[in-house]
Amino acid sequence: MKKLLAVAALLAAATMTPAAKADLLLTVDLSVINQITITATDGLSEITTSGSDTTGVYLDLFYGAGVAGGGLGDSTLVAGDLTSFLNTSDGSPLLFRSTFPDVDTGLNLFTFTDDLDAEFVAGTQAFSGSATYTLNADDYSDMLLGNTSGDVYFPADSDDDITGLTPLGTWEVVGGVIPEPTTFALSAIGLIGLGGLRRRS
């Protein structure tokens, strides 16, 4: 009897359809020093929801654990029309990272539409457009130390907002990342030193 139950369990497991993976909705490019570009894909929203873009979209686990960082007040929008697909862009998407009461590991994107509410509909493209920002060196370094993928939530601007929410989809770093500027400086010093040694020999 135990053998029959074990075989039945194996057969059931073999015929189970694996859970569908949520669509990739936003890509993050950190390949330019002191700059971040966030770009929409044609990925579909997992859920139907609406809310204020002043709360915005939350890229969960964007930063690594223990990465101190700041609230991104020094970030500057270079250009961008990133918005929810069903809404018009206001051309001014902004970045935020909560630092109260504790430093947050997520990245928030807000004020991206001039519509009353931002809307997402399950099975419909979630975002459109892209946005590029310049960052100070410390904030950029914090991003390089972060994770390479995670979930996207709405409406949420910090990790305490996502309790009970279902993700819209996922975000992912693409195009690779480059070493921190200090790493470049150390590498350059090393190369200069090697060049000097070669000339002396």
Side-chain angles (χ1 to χ4, degrees), residues 111-185:
T111 66
F112 45 81
T113 178
D114 51 14
D115 293 337
L116 188 60
D117 284 316
E119 294 182 84
F120 298 89
V121 172
T124 300
Q125 186 170 327
F127 295 97
S128 64
S130 67
T132 298
Y133 308 82
T134 56
L135 308 162
N136 67 43
D138 289 339
D139 286 338
Y140 178 68
S141 294
D142 289 342
M143 290 184 178
L144 291 182
L145 294 171
N147 296 299
T148 57
S149 63
D151 290 325
V152 176
Y153 290 91
F154 178 83
D157 63 9
S158 59
D159 58 5
D160 58 344
D161 286 341
I162 66 175
T163 303
L165 291 184
T166 299
L168 294 174
T170 64
W171 64 269
E172 183 177 293
V173 173
V174 296
V177 295
I178 59 174
E180 297 178 58
T182 52
T183 305
F184 280 133

Side-chain angles (χ1 to χ4, degrees), residues 4-179:
L4 285 175
L5 288 173
V7 169
L10 286 171
L11 287 173
T15 57
M16 285 177 64
T17 304
K21 185 179 176 187
D23 279 4
L24 175 63
L25 305 181
L26 297 171
T27 62
V28 177
D29 186 344
L30 295 168
S31 63
V32 177
I33 295 176
N34 297 337
Q35 185 172 290
I36 179 174
T37 297
I38 304 173
T39 304
T41 72
D42 59 1
L44 309 182
S45 176
E46 285 288 301
I47 61 170
T48 297
T49 187
S50 65
S52 173
D53 75 328
T54 58
T55 301
V57 173
Y58 184 74
L59 282 62
D60 190 31
L61 300 177
F62 184 81
Y63 293 95
V67 176
L72 298 176
D74 291 338
S75 65
T76 302
L77 177 67
V78 176
D81 61 354
L82 182 61
T83 188
S84 40
F85 181 75
L86 297 175
N87 300 102
T88 57
S89 170
D90 66 3
S92 67
L94 298 177
L95 297 179
F96 170 72
R97 182 185 184 191
S98 177
T99 56
F100 180 83
D102 298 304
V103 174
D104 201 286
T105 58
L107 178 66
N108 176 243
L109 175 77
F110 71 109
T111 66
F112 45 81
T113 178
D114 51 14
D115 293 337
L116 188 60
D117 284 316
E119 294 182 84
F120 298 89
V121 172
T124 300
Q125 186 170 327
F127 295 97
S128 64
S130 67
T132 298
Y133 308 82
T134 56
L135 308 162
N136 67 43
D138 289 339
D139 286 338
Y140 178 68
S141 294
D142 289 342
M143 290 184 178
L144 291 182
L145 294 171
N147 296 299
T148 57
S149 63
D151 290 325
V152 176
Y153 290 91
F154 178 83
D157 63 9
S158 59
D159 58 5
D160 58 344
D161 286 341
I162 66 175
T163 303
L165 291 184
T166 299
L168 294 174
T170 64
W171 64 269
E172 183 177 293
V173 173
V174 296
V177 295
I178 59 174

